[in-house]
Each structure stands twice: as structure tokens, then as C-alpha cells.
Amino acid sequence: MQFSKEQNLAISHLNGPALVLAVPGSGKTTVLIHRVYYLTKRLNINPRKILSITFSKASAIDMERRFQETFPSANIVPKFMTIHAFCYEIIRTYERKANQKYILIENEYIDKNKYSIVSAIYKNLTGNQITEEKLENFFSYVGFIKNMCITPEEFVKNKRVDIENFIDIYYNYEKYKLDKKLIDFDDMLTKAHSILKTDNSILDLYKNKFDYIQIDEGQDTSIIQFNIISLIATPKNNIFVVADDDQSIYGFRGAYPKQLLEFKKMYPNGHIYYLKENYRSSRNIVEASYSFISNNLNRYKKDIFTSNPYSSPIKILKFSTILDQYGFLIKEIEKNKDESLAILYRNNLSSLGLIYCLSEKNYKFSMRDFKLKFFNHWLIKDIFCFLEFANDTKNFLKYSQIYYKKKGYISKKMVFWASTNNKNNDVFSNMLSYPGLSEFYKMKIRELELDFKKLSKLKPKNAIDYIVFNLDYHSYIKENCNRLGYTYETLMQMIFYLKLIANDTNNTEQLRNKLISLERNIKESSKVQSNITLSTIHGAKGLEFDKVIIIDLINGQFPSSSSLDILNDGNPIEFEEERRLFYVGITRAKYELTLTSYNILDSIAVKQSQFIDELSKIK
């Protein structure tokens, strides 16, 4: 196999720290596995003395497979593993020495798992059931705290947290695990780090076990992960980091690319190699993407280039409505027969409308990285509460869940009165019999009764609009979205998708069945073999496709509202990560790249992403 001069220099690097800055499509995995072979076969280094840390289990499996396929005569395959798997090995070593056992509580199907434990703690401290979303957010926050080596107090001071009593819940959860000798996914890192810091015999064991450490996707390494690796690598410091600071897109998980920018500060004698040639994409895509990412200030400057010829020009398409965008996508899918096509988006929410349109036409597609809580979201549950109560106004339980989320002030006392009196009457009749009720309140209650009668006669799509605007549910959304951890635009976007799915349904049951069917299609799509891939950009990282279409390029969605707000306050860190994410998206394309936006989302005017504006000036 022929290598470039830069690739050969990286492959043949022997001792001391090295950073390989590898641009998209520059063959970083090839360099990693060939360096392992070079060390073992050319320099006779024991393969067991080489540890390669990868970002995901899938990457570890893929690297091991590629090593075996490339070098079938190799007697021993070196270790390719994730940092979490490596840390778990350290914990197991400690367990054998200390004669104690830690129980992993990641499996949601066992009785005592991390979800059930935190749910119980939350209920005990707040008196309420924790929602599925807040549960996921809790563990996301905990992961960030532990990866960044900060306290929950520091986290709360600098981040918006949508969980009441978060700090108390955090410490209760940590104490419970400590008392019961339990660990979760993030504890693998903190526990392993603690063991290495306090147990010199285990630290020496791993120092002697591995002479060479390779780190793949170094830009996604967190502070605690790098600290663990540094402890083991010292004093030899034979650390070989392959990374691209321009592709660091996991800041929300605690990835800390600043470590790359300070590499020479940490290792003054370290080498930096540049893999600057993109072998994947056409010249127009490479040149445009390079000019685009150069707008970021906090990065290594690289002269990215390709020997590939020019191909199809980058297309920037702006549609009148999001439905017009879907129409275009379906036409593209219909005419795309053999080439690989990826439709990418910033957030999983963006995929809903497209999935619905494709499912209606029975098109097969493969999905990656779908983690949307749409079907069990509190917003969707609220809408169904309204619909179900409209069809049964004796359902006091449903009314108790929505009475404060609509127009017309109704006190909690009145609702309690209505629910504990004559069960044969409906809610409104009982509320009208509330002692000492003024004529003004009676008039308001009769108006509400009339509203729900009208609502009961509407088809779901129109009923949703009636709930949001006539019953003023959108005011509840607007007033509470920050407290609930959402932007108003995101929640109204969810309303739009629900209305789209509700199209052509005649009643609540039909809408519910449509949602069930759609959720089933999404789950099954992960197993489908298709040349059409739907994915978030995060999910598509490391992959390549003949054609890429990035959709819903709307300011506030991509870049996100929060990154724009922070940028306006003078902090570019989050915004630059958004730009890196866009860069990752456009560099997935080999030959064709299309970017789409629209003017109107459900009668609301929106603006195209400023990233399109930046790219338009370049291309």
C-alpha cells in the first residue's frame, strides 16, 4: 500500500508523545493499524504491550477487524478497546486485589438499575415521579460533571438545569452507590482514576503492562479520560494521539479539545504530524469545507487539500415550506437507485416529518442514532389529555392534569371539589356547584364547557390547533419552556409534527395508532439494509456517503438558539462547536452535497442558517 510522506512519518513514529492531526478522509484508521503493525513486525515490539483506545465499541470492533483483514498473518491481535472497557478492566483488577465486588447498574432490565434508583430518590425528595426526559437529562448532567472533573455546584452555576433539587439528588445517588458498592457507566472513569491515584501497585502494573498507547478520536477525549491515560503513560509518555480538533463535537458529553491545542505545552518535546490530504471528497467540497471551518478561531491551522477532481457543485436550496422540502427529498430518494444517500440533520426531531412522509409511501430506509423522546413526551401526553377529556368530560383525572395549562383561571380547590363530589356529573357541572361561586366564574366555566364541546367535534389535526390557540395552551408552553428545559420554537415544532401525523385521521384512537405504527417503523429501521440513511450528524460521524443532503438548516435549530445567545454575550465556544458539527456533516459527502432550508414552518416565518450564508460566500 502506498502512503504519503506525512502518513509514513506518523506510521513510523516510535518513542515519545505524538499528535496526528488528521483531516476528514485522510486515512487516520489506516495510519493507526499500520503503525501497530510497524511496531510489532518491523521493531519486534510485543503486540500485548500496545494499547489502542477508541471512542466507541463499534470503532474498536471495526479496527480489530480491519487489522486482521489487512494483516492476516499476524499471530496476535493487539488490544483495541474503549476507554470505558479499559477502566472496567482496572476496576476488576482492583476487585481481585481488595477482595470486593462492584455491581454494574447500567442494565435497565434488572431490578436495581441506575434509572430505578434515581427515580426513587427523586420521588422521595420531591414527592413527584420523574419523567423519562428528566431522567435522561440527569445522567447527561452527571456524565458531564464527571468527565470535566467539576462539582455539581459548579455545573449548576454555569448550565441551565431542568431538574429540581438536582444537587441533592446527585449526592443522594452517589452515597447510595457508595454504600451498596454499585457503579454506573460514568463511575467506570472516576473509580478507575481514583484507583490509579491511590493504589501504586495497580498503577505500576498498568505502567509496565503497556509501553505504547494509541488514542483514536482524540478530540473527543474528556479531562478525566486524558488524566487516566497520562497516569499510565508516565514517565515514558509514548502517547500517540490521532485527532482532528475541527471535528470535536461532543462538548455536551465533556469532550475537551483544548487539550489538543495545548499539546505542545503539555509535551514540549512532542511531535505533531499533519495528515492534510482528503482522499474522500470531491475538490469543490474539500475547498468549501476548508474555507468554512477556517472561520473558527480556536483551532490548528491546516492547509487541507485533495487530489480528487471537481464534481457536482454544492447545491443550496431554499423552499417555501417544510412540506416542499419533504417533496424534494422524496423525489431525490425515488431517483436515487444505487448510490449511497444520507439525509442528515442537527436534531432527531427534524427526522419525524420525513420519517412520516417516507412511511406513508412504504419507503425503506436505515436509521442511525435515533434517541428522540417524542412519543412519550409530556407535550404529546398533554395534547392527548385534552383530546380524551373533550370526549369524556366526566374524566376528573384527565382534567386535573390540564386545568392549569389552558385559558381561564380555575383554582386547585375547585378541581378538588369537582373530583370529590357527584361522580355522575361532569367536571363542569360539579364546578358550577362550587359554594359561593361568582357569576363571573360561572360564565368562564360555561365558556370552557362550550370550548370542550367544540373540541370534541373536531378532527385531530384541527383539534390540536384549537387546543394550542383557542384554549391558549401555547401560553403555558411559552411561560414554562425555560423551566422545562426547552425553547418555545422546539416545542411548537413538535406541535407541527404531531399535526402532520394527525393529517387524515378522524379521531383520537386513529391518531394514537398512527403514532404507534410510526414508532414501530423507526425501531425496525435500525435493522434495515438500505442505501438510504437517515441520521443526526453526530450519528454519521466517521461515515461517508456518495451523496449527502443536510436538511432543516434554520437559524435557532442549526446553529442552536443557545449557541447564538452565548455568542452574543461574547462567548464563542459553543457556537464554534456548532460550526464544527456542520463541518462534520458536509465532509461526509464524497461527490454530491445539498443543503436545504425553508421560509415557513407551520405559518411561522423562519430564517435560513447563517452557516449557509457563510458557505454561500465561499462556493
Side-chain angles (χ1 to χ4, degrees):
M1 186 172 182
Q2 292 294 314
F3 295 109
S4 68
K5 178 183 175 182
E6 292 79 10
Q7 287 175 324
N8 271 319
L9 285 171
I11 289 168
S12 58
H13 177 86
L14 180 57
N15 294 320
L19 172 62
V20 181
L21 291 168
V23 306
S26 60
K28 69 176 181 61
T29 303
T30 299
V31 166
L32 276 168
I33 62 174
H34 276 82
R35 179 173 182 262
V36 172
Y37 188 77
Y38 177 85
L39 292 175
T40 55
K41 290 300 178 183
R42 297 283 182 89
L43 304 179
N44 294 317
I45 291 166
N46 186 341
R48 292 190 177 92
K49 303 287 277 183
I50 304 168
L51 171 66
S52 294
I53 297 290
T54 68
F55 186 66
S56 68
K57 186 177 180 181
S59 295
I61 293 169
D62 181 60
M63 287 180 74
E64 185 173 315
R65 176 189 60 79
R66 287 179 63 174
F67 183 88
Q68 289 175 317
E69 288 176 356
T70 308
F71 309 110
S73 61
N75 296 324
I76 301 172
V77 178
K79 274 190 181 256
F80 295 97
M81 62 198 310
T82 66
I83 184 67
H84 287 86
F86 178 59
C87 287
Y88 202 40
E89 183 182 300
I90 293 171
I91 293 168
R92 290 296 181 232
T93 302
Y94 175 79
E95 285 178 336
R96 289 189 290 272
K97 178 187 175 184
N99 194 28
Q100 61 175 275
K101 178 79 173 172
Y102 289 96
I103 300 170
L104 186 61
I105 51 172
E106 280 294 324
N107 191 336
E108 60 184 292
Y109 299 108
I110 61 175
D111 290 336
K112 279 291 180 186
N113 60 59
K114 67 180 187 180
Y115 302 102
S116 64
I117 293 166
V118 171
S119 296
I121 293 170
Y122 184 91
K123 179 73 184 294
N124 184 50
L125 288 176
T126 68
N128 300 315
Q129 294 286 350
I130 192 169
T131 64
E132 192 176 353
E133 292 155 275
K134 284 188 177 181
L135 200 55
E136 290 294 332
N137 288 345
F138 176 83
F139 290 112
S140 175
Y141 301 157
V142 170
F144 185 89
I145 288 166
K146 294 191 173 182
N147 274 280
M148 291 295 288
C149 299
I150 60 174
T151 66
E153 288 83 0
E154 289 171 310
F155 178 77
V156 168
K157 191 182 294 183
N158 297 299
K159 297 282 185 180
R160 186 175 67 184
V161 176
D162 65 337
I163 300 170
E164 55 198 307
N165 303 105
F166 170 73
I167 292 174
D168 289 339
I169 296 166
Y170 177 95
Y171 284 120
N172 272 269
Y173 177 53
E174 292 303 303
K175 184 178 185 306
Y176 185 92
K177 288 185 295 178
L178 187 65
D179 291 345
K180 305 286 185 182
K181 291 188 169 48
L182 310 174
I183 57 170
D184 63 19
F185 194 63
D186 296 305
D187 293 327
M188 291 181 186
L189 301 175
T190 55
K191 187 66 184 172
H193 185 247
S194 175
I195 291 167
L196 295 175
K197 291 280 283 184
T198 58
D199 192 314
N200 288 330
S201 64
I202 291 180
L203 177 60
D204 289 341
L205 173 71
Y206 282 94
K207 278 177 181 288
N208 295 323
K209 188 173 185 178
F210 298 109
D211 289 335
Y212 296 90
I213 300 174
Q214 298 192 141
I215 305 171
D216 185 26
E217 303 286 8
Q219 74 278 355
D220 297 325
T221 304
S222 69
I223 291 175
I224 195 167
Q225 290 169 3
F226 198 81
N227 287 347
I228 290 165
I229 293 163
S230 296
L231 281 169
I232 293 164
T234 306
K236 298 172 192 155
N237 287 331
N238 290 329
I239 298 178
F240 186 83
V241 183
V242 179
D244 183 3
D245 54 308
D246 289 331
Q247 293 188 74
S248 179
I249 58 173
Y250 288 102
F252 63 95
R253 289 183 187 169
Y256 194 64
K258 191 177 178 182
Q259 292 168 148
L260 298 182
L261 300 176
E262 295 179 346
F263 185 80
K264 289 293 281 185
K265 187 177 177 181
M266 291 187 287
Y267 302 109
N269 298 322
H271 288 78
I272 298 181
Y273 303 103
Y274 290 86
L275 304 186
K276 297 181 285 188
E277 183 171 1
N278 182 318
Y279 298 97
R280 174 192 300 152
S281 303
S282 64
R283 185 168 298 183
N284 43 308
I285 292 172
V286 171
E287 290 178 354
S289 62
Y290 169 52
S291 297
F292 172 79
I293 198 60
S294 297
N295 290 327
N296 270 4
L297 300 177
N298 299 297
R299 62 183 293 271
Y300 281 104
K301 288 181 170 52
K302 322 171 189 70
D303 297 321
I304 304 171
F305 70 97
T306 186
S307 300
N308 293 335
Y310 287 101
S311 184
S312 174
I314 297 172
K315 296 175 189 170
I316 296 176
L317 305 177
K318 191 172 187 179
F319 299 97
S320 294
T321 70
I322 192 171
L323 295 178
D324 294 328
Q325 176 187 252
Y326 295 151
F328 162 77
L329 293 171
I330 287 169
K331 286 179 182 175
E332 287 296 298
I333 289 170
E334 285 173 345
K335 71 182 184 183
N336 193 77
K337 300 300 180 187
D338 303 315
E339 294 177 300
S340 59
L341 167 64
I343 301 175
L344 307 181
Y345 30 82
R346 171 67 178 86
N347 303 305
N348 268 311
L349 185 56
S350 285
S351 66
L352 265 178
L354 179 59
I355 293 167
Y356 168 72
C357 293
L358 295 177
S359 297
E360 288 291 285
K361 290 184 172 288
N362 293 318
Y363 286 155
K364 297 296 181 186
F365 53 88
S366 174
M367 279 202 77
R368 295 179 59 88
D369 189 41
F370 190 89
K371 296 174 183 175
L372 180 63
K373 304 299 179 184
F374 178 82
F375 300 97
N376 294 311
H377 196 278
W378 56 263
L379 184 78
I380 307 304
K381 289 179 179 178
D382 276 358
I383 295 294
F384 271 94
C385 249
F386 276 101
L387 295 173
E388 288 164 2
F389 176 72
N391 291 315
D392 178 13
T393 54
K394 290 182 179 180
N395 193 327
F396 293 95
L397 177 61
K398 294 293 180 188
Y399 190 72
S400 69
Q401 294 169 330
I402 59 172
Y403 75 92
Y404 57 94
K405 300 176 181 179
K406 56 168 182 51
K407 70 177 185 178
Y409 174 74
I410 301 292
S411 71
K412 195 171 185 178
K413 287 181 180 178
M414 290 170 65
V415 176
F416 181 73
W417 168 271
S419 65
T420 54
N421 276 272
N422 192 341
K423 297 288 186 180
N424 293 319
N425 289 339
D426 63 24
V427 168
F428 301 112
S429 298
N430 275 7
M431 285 198 298
L432 285 169
S433 67
Y434 185 76
L437 196 65
S438 69
E439 286 300 319
F440 173 79
Y441 259 117
K442 288 179 181 178
M443 180 184 72
K444 290 296 178 185
I445 291 168
R446 290 189 184 107
E447 283 179 8
L448 278 176
E449 185 176 19
L450 185 60
D451 277 326
F452 277 98
K453 278 183 181 176
K454 288 179 181 176
L455 183 60
S456 68
K457 295 173 183 176
L458 295 173
K459 289 185 178 181
K461 183 179 180 181
N462 294 329
I464 295 166
D465 262 337
Y466 197 88
I467 292 163
V468 173
F469 298 108
N470 294 69
L471 288 174
D472 205 25
Y473 179 62
H474 80 99
S475 290
Y476 169 79
I477 294 173
K478 190 173 285 187
E479 289 165 9
N480 290 275
C481 58
N482 286 333
R483 179 179 65 81
L484 297 166
Y486 292 89
T487 64
Y488 175 73
E489 290 75 17
T490 298
L491 295 176
M492 292 306 290
Q493 193 180 356
M494 292 183 74
I495 295 287
F496 166 76
Y497 289 125
L498 184 61
K499 287 195 297 181
L500 181 65
I501 297 164
N503 200 29
D504 297 331
T505 61
N506 295 310
N507 54 57
T508 304
E509 195 57 32
Q510 284 184 5
L511 175 57
R512 190 184 298 281
N513 288 336
K514 252 192 168 182
L515 288 171
I516 291 169
S517 175
L518 191 60
E519 187 175 21
R520 190 188 306 118
N521 284 350
I522 290 169
K523 287 177 180 176
E524 290 173 355
S525 67
S526 63
K527 305 168 189 172
V528 170
Q529 295 293 319
S530 172
N531 65 325
I532 309 299
T533 300
L534 274 56
S535 177
T536 62
I537 298 175
H538 283 101
K541 187 172 181 289
L543 303 179
E544 59 183 45
F545 306 91
D546 296 327
K547 300 177 181 179
V548 168
I549 304 173
I550 306 180
I551 65 170
D552 287 3
L553 290 170
I554 303 299
N555 246 24
Q557 290 186 46
F558 198 11
S560 66
S561 298
S562 62
S563 69
L564 291 169
D565 290 341
I566 295 171
L567 180 66
N568 291 334
D569 290 338
N571 185 348
I573 291 174
E574 190 173 322
F575 183 80
E576 289 205 348
E577 177 158 320
E578 290 280 294
R579 190 183 272 122
R580 292 195 294 269
L581 183 61
F582 189 81
Y583 174 72
V584 168
I586 60 181
T587 54
R588 299 310 92 202
K590 293 168 73 174
Y591 310 117
E592 287 188 27
L593 174 63
T594 304
L595 310 171
T596 70
S597 66
Y598 44 84
N599 295 322
I600 296 171
L601 175 65
D602 196 22
S603 77
I604 298 172
V606 293
K607 292 182 179 179
Q608 76 174 13
S609 168
Q610 65 187 71
F611 291 154
I612 289 184
D613 298 334
E614 289 182 23
L615 207 59
S616 297
K617 294 173 185 174
I618 298 163
K619 81 177 192 74

